[in-house]
Amino acid sequence: MPTFVPLLNKEQISRLPEKAREVVEYRKSGLSLNHVQGCPLDCAYCIRHTYGLWDARQPRALMTDAEAVAELVNHRYFQPHVTPIQVFNRATDPFLPAVRPHTFAVLEDLDARGLRNHALVITRHQMKPEDSDRLNRLASVKVTLLFTYSGIENKDIEPYPSHVAAESLKLMSAPRERQYRTVLYWRPLVPGLNDSPEHLDRAYELSQHADAPVFTGLFYRDQIADYYRANQLPEPYDETARRKIVPETLERRVLSTFAGGESLFRKTSCAVSYAHGEPDYNGHYGIRELCDICPLAQLDLCASAHRVPTTDGIREVARTLPEASGRVVVDITERAAIVSGLAEEQPRYYLQHALGFQVHDVRHPHHDRQHGRADIGWKEPTS
């Protein structure tokens, strides 16, 4: 497989921030492949800030596509047909002109291996009619295109216009017969920036073109807040958080706007699973207040797959991971398994996908009705 963007040499790679050198990384919705890094779209809230890659605007490759896919499928966290995969979701847009060939090369390599894993491709860029034809040739891997749409009109915060993603969503959703699925990835919702009645109504209209819509808020980490202050951008919140921020009143307004729609989801995995007619691979069903907006047929599907694991079952799944050897199962309920002793998040995600059941870290409790979001904008939480 050829490389279509500049290929960095070992010395150049060694000068990258440590996190940027990690080509395969487990993130919440899947095992993330990021051997191409760099994006010129310059969304002010981009997660690249947290990886020391904000100034990397020209896409560059750390290795060839074939090498990257091999590293992915041989990774200790990868489970064939089980682990959800995300392609270029951390440091570039997968459908930038120079990156597009790499995206197809990765998907076609995975498909040629007969893998049935979910493959999530998140984009805000312009799609082409021939993209649909090429994606429809994939026979095994379950591709979902998630179109990032915010409706943000402030060019200092989001220079690349949202209407491009909207038109791409319509284009790629139009074919009646297709192998891939489309999701309106409505984010980031920020009070006072893109939450007017007109913004909400436009998002609802756009959702009618997608197989499923999901809404979420802003990751407002320290590095992003520093950038906002340094560039005199309007700060959306007075504090930062490790989780996405969706204030309670904003959620209520979103739910009211979508009250007449066929579907709306709070979690990415719920939207992706619904679009493919499968139960949620993240096992959110036990957290029932998450499900109060789900279609009834989807609830039945998730209920049929809901299995509460035992302590021995968790131990068996974790035994191959040295970094999970210190884990302690604090509690198991219908909602989630609560664990401690994990130094980082990645093994927890592995356990969650292997079990198809929520696994929470005791250090970061999930509060009732906040749906795993930051406390900002919510009343005093109760565990």
Side-chain angles (χ1 to χ4, degrees):
M1 296 181 189
T3 299
F4 298 90
V5 302
L7 182 62
L8 300 180
N9 59 41
K10 290 183 179 180
E11 181 181 348
Q12 291 171 316
I13 293 173
S14 70
R15 293 200 296 266
L16 292 174
E18 181 180 359
K19 288 293 290 182
R21 297 196 299 268
E22 191 175 5
V23 166
V24 180
E25 177 199 23
Y26 227 138
R27 304 189 70 199
K28 187 176 180 182
S29 282
L31 201 56
S32 181
L33 182 65
N34 292 283
H35 62 288
V36 175
Q37 302 177 359
C39 182
L41 301 186
D42 285 349
C43 304
Y45 49 79
C46 183
I47 199 68
R48 282 186 296 140
H49 287 290
T50 67
Y51 290 94
L53 289 170
W54 174 248
D55 292 328
R57 290 179 171 82
Q58 178 188 0
R60 302 171 299 175
L62 280 68
M63 59 183 66
T64 67
D65 300 316
E67 291 169 334
V69 173
E71 185 164 324
L72 173 69
V73 300
N74 291 305
H75 197 278
R76 66 188 184 283
Y77 290 146
F78 181 77
Q79 302 171 83
H81 318 306
V82 174
T83 309
I85 300 163
Q86 298 174 323
V87 182
F88 303 144
N89 71 319
R90 190 182 76 182
T92 193
D93 188 294
F95 285 100
L96 288 170
V99 181
R100 173 184 262 104
H102 296 274
T103 301
F104 280 117
V106 167
L107 294 174
E108 287 163 358
D109 190 341
L110 293 169
D111 193 66
R113 296 168 187 262
L115 294 168
R116 299 189 301 276
N117 301 65
H118 282 283
L120 282 64
V121 185
I122 303 170
T123 184
R124 62 169 65 247
H125 211 271
Q126 184 176 18
M127 304 291 292
K128 302 177 181 180
E130 56 265 31
D131 293 334
S132 179
D133 296 335
R134 193 163 178 181
L135 289 169
N136 274 327
R137 292 198 288 269
L138 302 175
S140 297
V141 67
K142 290 176 281 193
V143 174
T144 304
L145 302 176
L146 296 101
F147 292 93
T148 297
Y149 171 87
S150 69
I152 292 174
E153 292 146 2
N154 186 329
K155 300 299 183 184
D156 293 327
I157 293 175
E158 194 175 286
Y160 195 71
S162 281
H163 71 77
V164 177
E167 293 307 313
S168 290
L169 168 62
K170 294 175 184 178
L171 173 70
M172 298 302 287
S173 301
R176 290 180 177 273
E177 300 293 331
R178 47 186 165 85
Q179 295 289 102
Y180 61 90
R181 298 293 183 266
T182 61
V183 167
L184 170 62
Y185 208 17
W186 187 19
R187 66 165 191 171
L189 271 167
V190 183
L193 186 62
N194 62 339
D195 68 331
S196 71
E198 292 75 21
H199 282 102
L200 302 190
D201 288 342
R202 282 199 296 269
Y204 176 76
E205 187 281 328
L206 186 57
S207 74
Q208 306 306 300
H209 297 275
D211 294 319
V214 58
F215 72 99
T216 191
L218 177 69
F219 264 134
Y220 198 51
R221 302 285 178 82
D222 290 342
Q223 300 93 330
I224 299 172
D226 289 343
Y227 177 82
Y228 271 58
R229 296 183 193 114
N231 290 274
Q232 291 81 49
L233 296 177
E235 296 178 51
Y237 301 103
D238 295 331
E239 55 186 314
T240 59
R242 65 178 290 275
R243 289 173 172 159
K244 291 177 182 176
I245 306 170
V246 182
E248 183 176 15
T249 53
L250 177 54
E251 170 168 301
R252 288 177 181 170
R253 294 179 57 223
V254 168
L255 299 187
S256 177
T257 301
F258 275 70
E262 292 186 8
S263 65
L264 178 67
F265 298 93
R266 296 180 173 104
K267 296 294 184 180
T268 302
S269 64
C270 296
V272 170
S273 300
Y274 170 77
H276 286 271
E278 298 182 353
D280 173 34
Y281 55 77
N282 263 335
H284 284 110
Y285 177 78
I287 307 176
R288 297 309 306 277
E289 67 270 16
L290 263 178
C291 309
D292 62 359
I293 60 174
C294 295
L296 293 178
Q298 185 65 19
L299 276 176
D300 291 341
L301 195 57
C302 290
S304 68
H306 188 61
R307 302 287 185 274
V308 180
T310 64
T311 300
D312 287 343
I314 295 173
R315 183 183 300 115
E316 177 63 22
V317 171
R319 66 181 175 83
T320 60
L321 300 180
E323 62 270 45
S325 60
R327 58 114 220 348
V328 175
V329 179
V330 177
D331 192 17
I332 302 175
T333 70
E334 283 283 330
R335 295 171 64 86
I338 314 299
V339 300
S340 66
L342 297 177
E344 59 175 357
E345 298 277 45
Q346 295 196 62
R348 181 171 69 83
Y349 299 147
Y350 173 87
L351 295 176
Q352 188 161 281
H353 291 137
L355 296 164
F357 189 80
Q358 283 282 289
V359 178
H360 297 170
D361 193 310
V362 70
R363 297 172 298 177
H364 307 298
H366 285 230
H367 301 304
D368 182 49
R369 297 185 307 107
Q370 285 183 212
H371 317 306
R373 300 175 183 146
D375 293 341
I376 298 168
W378 290 79
K379 298 174 183 176
E380 188 67 27
T382 56
S383 298

